[in-house]
Amino acid sequence: MRWTVSDGLTAYPDAVATMERIAAGIAAGTEPETVWLVEHPALYTSGTSAKASDLLDARFPVYETGRGGQFTYHGPGQRVAYVMLDLNRRGRDVRAFVQNLEAWVTAALAEFNVVGETREGRVGVWVKRPDKGDGYEDKIAAIGIRLRKWVSFHGISLNVEPDLTHFSGIVPCGIAEQKFGVTSLVDLGLPVTMDDADVALKKSFGDVFE
């Protein structure tokens, strides 16, 4: 496994080109499996199930992408982990792979005593918000993947300390119900840095995938 952390903000088109190059190399046996941790400038991406009506305010650049899912936001303060793994040798089971990604994020959150949960019909990882009202939950991490020759790319995004108002330009992941919002580790009152999040993600990855 190769772990790479990029400093500063990585342009989204550059990230896609790098992912595609590494994924092709993994399929060809010339690149190792890779987890790449980045931050992006503020932008929106649309997945293969995105509805045009869910783009409410294109205040940031919008990129169409081949990953699954709908609209999502990336920006400073959010840790994006691009996961390029060879499912030819890890098992060609897409559902199990997504569940492992969810378990990875949930385990990383547990390092900060945050209980992350998954919900049928709502992709990603959620936290209960009883302080907002009965039944309220906020998404703290999004998941969207793509496979080519059974090598994965794209991955997960964990909200560490992004500007949560930036999510208001879209209907995140197509979920418009008022009781389902977005949150971050810092929004939950935790003084977590990006470096802290990276340590938790690396530790938890080994627990789930290795």
Side-chain angles (χ1 to χ4, degrees):
M1 281 296 307
R2 175 174 61 192
W3 280 79
T4 303
V5 181
S6 289
D7 295 327
L9 301 178
T10 301
Y12 189 76
D14 294 344
V16 172
T18 299
M19 277 193 289
E20 291 186 342
R21 176 182 58 77
I22 294 173
I26 293 170
T30 58
E31 291 274 3
E33 291 185 308
T34 301
V35 177
W36 181 26
L37 305 181
V38 306
E39 281 182 88
H40 288 304
L43 59 93
Y44 297 128
T45 66
S46 63
T48 54
S49 303
K51 301 174 183 177
S53 59
D54 286 343
L55 179 61
L56 306 177
D57 178 8
R59 69 182 79 170
F60 304 121
V62 181
Y63 296 95
E64 292 186 5
T65 179
R67 62 155 176 82
Q70 302 185 45
F71 277 101
T72 194
Y73 165 78
H74 295 314
Q78 181 189 74
R79 176 52 86 207
V80 177
Y82 289 129
V83 184
M84 289 153 277
L85 299 181
D86 186 359
L87 300 193
N88 290 292
R89 66 184 188 83
R90 290 178 177 268
R92 295 184 176 185
D93 188 330
V94 178
R95 184 179 180 84
F97 179 56
V98 171
Q99 289 173 339
N100 281 338
L101 291 174
E102 292 171 337
W104 173 33
V105 176
T106 300
L109 291 172
E111 294 291 311
F112 307 108
N113 296 314
V114 174
V115 179
E117 302 180 80
T118 58
R119 296 288 182 262
E120 188 70 30
R122 282 192 273 133
V123 177
V125 179
W126 299 77
V127 294
K128 293 179 179 177
R129 297 302 304 268
D131 53 308
K132 292 185 174 182
D134 186 44
Y136 277 68
E137 297 182 349
D138 286 344
K139 177 179 277 193
I140 195 166
I143 295 172
I145 63 165
R146 186 175 182 182
L147 298 176
R148 184 177 293 157
K149 296 183 178 179
W150 287 100
V151 175
S152 68
F153 54 116
H154 296 281
I156 66 106
S157 57
L158 173 64
N159 296 333
V160 180
E161 192 180 6
D163 185 337
L164 296 178
T165 66
H166 290 178
F167 285 87
S168 63
I170 57 172
V171 178
C173 300
I175 300 171
E177 294 180 59
Q178 185 177 3
K179 65 180 180 179
F180 301 137
V182 291
T183 190
S184 69
L185 288 165
V186 171
D187 182 54
L188 294 174
L190 299 168
V192 177
T193 67
M194 196 67 75
D195 287 343
D196 295 332
D198 291 349
V199 170
L201 286 168
K202 190 168 186 178
K203 177 181 182 296
S204 301
F205 185 90
D207 294 340
V208 173
F209 285 97
E210 297 174 9

